[in-house]
Amino acid sequence: MKLVPLSELKVGESGIIEEITDPWASIKLIEMGCLPGEKVTVKLAAPFRDPIAIEISGNLISLRRAEARNIVVKIMP
Amino acid sequence: MSEKLKITLIGNPNTGKSSLFNALTGLNQRIANFPGITVEKTTGYFQLPNKQEVQLTDMPGTYSLYPKSKDEAVPFEVLTDPHHPHYPHLVIFVADSANLKRNLVLLTQLIDLRLPVILVLNMIDQSVAQGIDVDIEGLKDFLGIPIIPTNARKKKGIQELLEVIQKGVDVSSGTFISTDKPSPIPLETLKEELHLCNAYQALLSLQQSIVHAGSKKDTFKRTIDELKADYNFDSGTWQREDLLYRYKKVNELLKIYVHQRNEPAFKRRQEKLDAVLTHKVGGYLIFFAILFVIFQAVFSWAEYPMHLIETSVSWLQHWSHAHLPQGILNELFADGILSGLGGVLVFIPQIAFLFFFIGMMEDTGYLARVAFLMDKLMRGFGLNGKSVIPLISGTACAVPAILATRNIEQKKSRLITILVTPLMSCSARLPVYILLIGLIIPEQYVFGFLSMRGLALMGMYLLGFLSAIGSAWIFKVFMNIKEKQYFILELPVYRSPNWNNVWITVFKKVKTFVFEAGKIIVAISIILWFLASFGPPGKFREINAKYDSISKTHTLTESQVSSAMRSEKLQNSYAGVLGHVIEPAIKPLGYDWKIGIAIITSFAAREVYVGTMATLYGIEGDEPDISKLKGSMRNAHFDNSTEKVYGVPTVVSLLIFYAFALQCMSTVAVTYRETASWKWTLLQFTFMGVLAYVASFIAFHVLK
């Protein structure tokens, strides 16, 4: 088990959200369903690898890589 | 009951909220901004079966009641303040049935604010297609509020909704979360002290440091600040805790009342679409193909209806000149008011075409993918993915383009997009460019097929694009907007477009433009008419007398006399006087006072430059002969000098001036309407003016 920023995940990889480190972005993210304990999958990366789109409880959410860096996820080795 | 029943419509983004709004009110909608900000306030009206009138206000889509910017604060302010003019008698909460977990969080906040609320489970057809099974009866009993399943796009469930509204809705019997639980602060005491209605309102007031209390505002604010200090209350932490706790409770609830069967076909289709539409090559190709069609529509297809509008207005003007009693009032009506109205109406086709496409892209869910594709390219310039469509549309016309910036949620990016869009070379500049380029560039071909004039024209478009991008970057560096900029957005599920929604979008945009920006345009056009048709009275009498005698004694044709008189009148009008007044300022750019007059009159629209020049040089007829005009311009001298006016330095300088200066009252009007601020409107006007002046000055002196 390993903790990494969501921005490190490749398309198709999943993890469980551990915490969100930026306090302001966290409210926006929590509102949209990015909660600690939720499973998150990276579904798409835009050309030039940024932004990315993640799937979380059935919703597709787009965010910039810099914003994804604030989401720490747990991945199974 | 004669008083209107006030209902507020609220919900997450992408829940089909506007479909429901449209289904309830049809075209009976009024659009304005909330005071001081650019959040669209749509109010609609309809009747219940018992003839009770209802006023329905649409709130911007929001995920929770916690505002993160001034614009997002609207639902919070309306729903937590019983004295607010829009505080509703009833709230309709629209939820996406396939997405209840996230949707219900906001609903629980409304329940805890003790608002009477109806839960509309919209897009119920889609959740069925996805294998989601909602136990509506069970959920209704648990929440203690009415629940209506609907499919607003197909107008299903609307009748049932109307009946429930008519029957009346009570506040649910209990709160969803007992509010003392997550807060150690004595909320009940605070509630009493601030005369609030309930504990959750007290908690929200504490978190936002906002009190709605009119005269006692200052004392209340102090109470709140003291309490926050006493309990070491951190708003961010509490908002997070509150949301997480609500999610937890909603999750427990959904485990009981919502069941999901596995239905992978739906998801596979969606994923396939995304694989194609956001593909790193294919995605751009498709987007550029769509842009090309939009461009064609706004640039060429719109020409026909625009031409029709122009001919009709000009026919009306002629008719009024010929058939209404002659005099100043007639001239004011025909040349001031009618031409102003024409200036407003002529934009309708372009606005309609552009918003037909934007409405469709938004309704299908494609627009969010465009933002996703283009974001990285635009970000470096302080813009974002959604700025692309306004910028490209700006090459046709800045007016619809600026209206299209509403889709950009990030305040700073939106503002920058508005400020730089008029730098893109619009179609009104085209006649000016063609005339001026024709004066200095010979009709020759490079390599036998590349027209030199065509290349020069392309250069002008390139100049516009580069200056827009460059200015965006400058604004990004110097603009000080404190609000945090996020680019976190939902990529909604793909849907086939609903034509009713698309059509209403077009209708709303056209109506907004005509009634809001139209007022300013007509007013300015009347001023311009006055400046160009009146002058110091003595001078005008002399001119009239002179041409009276000329027509009696000379053998000139009537048309020659009248064009000479028009030319002399314009030269001596207030606009002419102003042209002389500003001559010292524009002389360093290589212009004479006649160009000064044209610069003033072309504020009505840039292409007026050509007509003004034709009048000034006495070219006869209603449709001036361009080659004759070019001839006269080529021979024009500066006053008291043998030096020609239209040499290469002056023409290049003038081209640059028209490329950069904000010579367009309609754009000014639209910028004001879309920024709700004279500060940004003036900044844009001044910035473009200074840029135009400096660049023309440099060009003139380098080439001289």
Side-chain angles (χ1 to χ4, degrees):
Chain A
M1 201 183 78
K2 206 165 68 164
L3 291 179
V4 294
L6 178 62
S7 50
E8 309 270 299
L9 264 53
K10 294 195 182 67
V11 171
E13 291 183 339
S14 311
I16 306 287
I17 297 182
E18 182 69 20
E19 62 163 337
I20 299 166
T21 49
D22 172 353
W24 271 108
S26 79
I27 291 167
K28 175 93 188 162
L29 286 165
I30 288 171
E31 268 184 5
M32 296 182 80
C34 295
L35 318 173
E38 287 283 340
K39 184 184 169 193
V40 55
T41 309
V42 178
K43 296 296 271 190
L44 302 165
F48 313 107
R49 297 187 59 245
D50 196 8
I52 57 169
I54 57 171
E55 188 186 76
I56 195 150
S57 45
N59 295 317
L60 205 54
I61 293 166
S62 148
L63 70 171
R64 289 177 177 168
R65 227 164 246 282
E67 288 154 349
R69 215 165 284 143
N70 295 316
I71 303 176
V72 182
V73 295
K74 204 158 53 180
I75 47 170
M76 304 301 160
Chain B
M1 274 200 296
S2 61
E3 202 201 343
K4 279 200 178 76
L5 187 68
K6 278 191 275 185
I7 302 183
T8 294
L9 192 65
I10 188 169
N12 286 186
N14 308 310
T15 51
K17 202 158 56 71
S18 21
S19 299
L20 184 67
F21 192 91
N22 292 341
L24 284 170
T25 65
L27 285 180
N28 201 355
Q29 307 185 2
R30 247 179 249 160
I31 308 102
N33 282 336
F34 278 99
I37 48 174
T38 53
V39 176
E40 205 145 272
K41 183 180 89 177
T42 314
T43 315
Y45 301 89
F46 63 92
Q47 256 189 3
L48 294 177
N50 67 1
K51 304 280 177 256
Q52 162 73 43
E53 292 285 337
V54 177
Q55 176 190 323
L56 184 68
T57 308
D58 192 15
M59 287 288 128
T62 179
Y63 294 102
S64 85
L65 275 184
Y66 295 126
K68 285 154 294 302
S69 68
K70 207 174 149 202
D71 288 358
E72 283 179 343
V74 170
F76 175 83
E77 280 165 11
V78 170
L79 295 175
T80 58
D81 176 13
H83 304 290
H84 196 283
H86 291 291
Y87 189 77
H89 298 116
L90 171 67
V91 177
I92 298 178
F93 181 82
V94 190
D96 170 2
S97 314
N99 216 333
L100 283 181
K101 182 156 94 179
R102 193 185 61 201
N103 282 251
L104 291 192
V105 170
L106 174 56
L107 175 72
T108 68
Q109 291 185 307
L110 301 178
I111 291 178
D112 287 353
L113 276 174
R114 318 300 295 128
L115 289 157
V117 50
I118 300 175
L119 168 58
V120 168
L121 289 183
N122 198 20
M123 311 201 276
I124 196 78
D125 53 318
Q126 211 157 56
S127 67
V128 173
Q130 290 179 55
I132 295 166
D133 200 12
V134 186
D135 173 7
I136 294 179
E137 287 304 315
L139 201 57
K140 194 192 279 180
D141 287 342
F142 183 91
L143 293 172
I145 58 172
I147 301 182
I148 313 287
T150 61
N151 175 0
R153 289 175 161 244
K154 299 254 154 70
K155 301 200 172 173
K156 277 186 195 147
I158 304 298
Q159 202 51 44
E160 291 81 348
L161 177 61
L162 290 178
E163 276 158 24
V164 171
I165 297 173
Q166 181 168 310
K167 233 187 318 173
V169 177
D170 288 327
V171 177
S172 69
S173 50
T175 54
F176 184 76
I177 288 175
S178 93
T179 2
D180 336 319
K181 202 176 167 195
S183 166
I185 296 180
L187 289 173
E188 287 297 328
T189 328
L190 182 65
K191 182 191 106 182
E192 296 298 321
E193 242 176 272
L194 300 185
H195 307 290
L196 294 173
C197 313
N198 59 68
Y200 193 55
Q201 212 173 24
L203 181 64
L204 288 177
S205 302
L206 208 54
Q207 282 169 343
Q208 300 297 324
S209 295
I210 295 177
V211 216
H212 313 286
S215 60
K216 290 186 184 159
K217 209 166 179 161
D218 292 337
T219 31
F220 286 170
K221 180 96 177 72
R222 229 171 298 133
T223 317
I224 285 194
D225 289 343
E226 279 166 19
L227 261 175
K228 281 176 92 162
D230 286 352
Y231 286 90
N232 202 5
F233 184 92
D234 175 57
S235 299
T237 314
W238 277 105
Q239 288 176 24
R240 235 178 356 259
E241 300 275 309
D242 185 46
L243 284 175
L244 287 175
Y245 194 70
R246 281 173 194 279
Y247 259 111
K248 196 175 141 221
K249 286 290 185 191
V250 166
N251 250 338
E252 288 167 10
L253 190 67
L254 293 186
K255 264 187 204 131
I256 307 171
Y257 298 113
V258 178
H259 303 283
Q260 167 123 40
R261 279 172 289 115
N262 208 14
E263 203 74 49
F266 177 82
K267 217 175 145 187
R268 253 205 319 272
R269 260 202 314 276
Q270 295 283 328
E271 283 176 356
K272 258 190 203 148
L273 276 169
D274 262 328
V276 176
L277 294 175
T278 67
H279 187 266
K280 61 179 175 234
V281 182
Y284 285 120
L285 287 179
I286 292 170
F287 177 54
F288 284 116
I290 293 174
L291 267 187
F292 181 76
V293 175
I294 296 180
F295 198 73
Q296 279 295 311
V298 181
F299 211 88
S300 10
W301 304 346
E303 285 269 299
Y304 302 103
M306 284 167 84
H307 188 72
L308 196 70
I309 292 170
E310 277 168 345
T311 353
S312 315
V313 170
S314 116
W315 180 85
L316 257 179
Q317 285 174 316
H318 279 290
W319 184 87
S320 129
H321 275 306
H323 293 91
L324 296 181
Q326 297 300 311
I328 287 185
L329 278 181
N330 185 334
E331 278 170 34
L332 169 71
F333 176 70
D335 302 326
I337 297 174
L338 274 184
S339 81
L341 269 180
V344 177
L345 296 179
V346 79
F347 287 109
I348 290 178
Q350 290 183 328
I351 294 176
F353 272 118
L354 180 62
F355 281 97
F356 172 76
F357 288 103
I358 290 183
M360 207 157 67
M361 294 201 289
E362 199 173 23
D363 207 56
T364 51
Y366 180 65
L367 197 61
R369 269 75 180 184
V370 171
F372 179 72
L373 270 180
M374 302 304 291
D375 181 61
K376 181 75 193 250
L377 294 173
M378 308 303 287
R379 199 187 301 170
F381 304 103
L383 306 168
N384 77 32
K386 290 195 177 173
S387 312
V388 174
I389 290 167
L391 278 182
I392 302 288
S393 316
T395 46
C397 176
V399 170
I402 289 175
L403 291 174
T405 59
R406 281 276 160 147
N407 289 314
I408 305 172
E409 289 97 358
Q410 292 72 19
K411 195 174 175 187
K412 186 170 176 179
S413 299
R414 172 160 188 262
L415 201 49
I416 296 178
T417 311
I418 292 176
L419 292 176
V420 305
T421 292
L423 284 168
M424 302 291 283
S425 278
C426 65
S427 54
R429 287 169 171 109
L430 201 56
V432 183
Y433 287 168
I434 290 175
L435 175 68
L436 293 174
I437 287 173
L439 282 177
I440 53 167
I441 308 252
E443 204 171 355
Q444 282 171 4
Y445 291 83
V446 199
F447 307 125
F449 67 97
L450 280 175
S451 151
M452 299 248 300
R453 286 178 175 174
L455 283 177
L457 191 62
M458 207 176 91
M460 294 310 296
Y461 275 86
L462 204 62
L463 180 71
F465 175 72
L466 292 177
S467 63
I469 291 283
S471 314
W473 184 82
I474 293 172
F475 282 124
K476 175 195 145 186
V477 175
F478 290 104
M479 195 187 277
N480 185 17
I481 285 188
K482 292 215 175 58
E483 276 178 17
K484 276 252 188 184
Q485 302 289 316
Y486 295 115
F487 190 70
I488 303 175
L489 82 152
E490 203 182 329
L491 301 182
V493 170
Y494 288 109
R495 266 183 273 268
S496 54
N498 176 306
W499 299 110
N500 194 36
N501 283 351
V502 174
W503 155 240
I504 289 182
T505 305
V506 169
F507 174 81
K508 270 163 68 171
K509 286 290 168 180
V510 168
K511 190 174 161 190
T512 310
F513 170 77
V514 170
F515 287 100
E516 306 252 335
K519 281 184 278 197
I520 305 179
I521 297 175
V522 172
I524 298 179
S525 136
I526 291 173
I527 296 174
L528 287 174
W529 161 78
F530 176 81
L531 288 178
S533 7
F534 292 87
K539 196 81 198 167
F540 264 51
R541 261 197 304 277
E542 263 173 48
I543 296 172
N544 279 334
K546 177 176 152 195
Y547 282 94
D548 270 354
S549 66
I550 286 180
S551 56
K552 276 174 204 139
T553 53
H554 286 68
T555 50
L556 296 168
T557 66
E558 199 178 316
S559 144
Q560 277 169 323
V561 175
S562 94
S563 56
M565 180 167 84
R566 273 198 317 196
S567 165
E568 198 162 340
K569 274 195 170 170
L570 180 54
Q571 294 182 26
N572 288 287
S573 68
Y574 290 116
V577 174
L578 273 177
H580 280 290
V581 169
I582 64 169
E583 193 177 22
I586 56 175
K587 196 135 202 181
L589 309 181
Y591 310 159
D592 66 350
W593 59 275
K594 286 185 177 174
I595 297 181
I597 297 177
I599 286 177
I600 292 166
T601 55
S602 52
F603 191 61
R606 292 176 178 92
E607 69 265 25
V608 169
Y609 175 85
V610 180
T612 304
M613 279 294 147
T615 310
L616 283 173
Y617 286 106
I619 307 296
E620 298 161 39
D622 285 337
E623 295 272 326
D625 182 341
I626 295 294
S627 57
K628 250 191 210 164
L629 174 58
K630 273 189 201 160
S632 304
M633 286 170 75
R634 279 205 189 94
N635 292 327
H637 293 270
F638 282 105
D639 287 0
N640 314 318
S641 156
T642 52
E643 200 189 333
K644 292 238 165 96
V645 178
Y646 289 94
V648 172
T650 294
V651 173
V652 172
S653 157
L654 202 52
L655 276 170
I656 290 178
F657 191 87
Y658 269 83
F660 291 158
L662 186 45
Q663 289 276 85
C664 176
M665 60 175 174
S666 312
T667 307
V668 173
V670 167
T671 297
Y672 173 65
R673 141 90 197 169
E674 289 301 309
T675 56
S677 134
W678 283 114
K679 179 181 128 191
W680 294 116
T681 312
L682 281 174
L683 179 102
Q684 181 184 49
F685 186 74
T686 319
F687 163 76
M688 290 178 69
V690 170
L691 182 67
Y693 193 89
V694 172
S696 304
F697 180 84
I698 294 171
F700 181 69
H701 285 271
V702 167
L703 292 168
K704 208 168 81 167

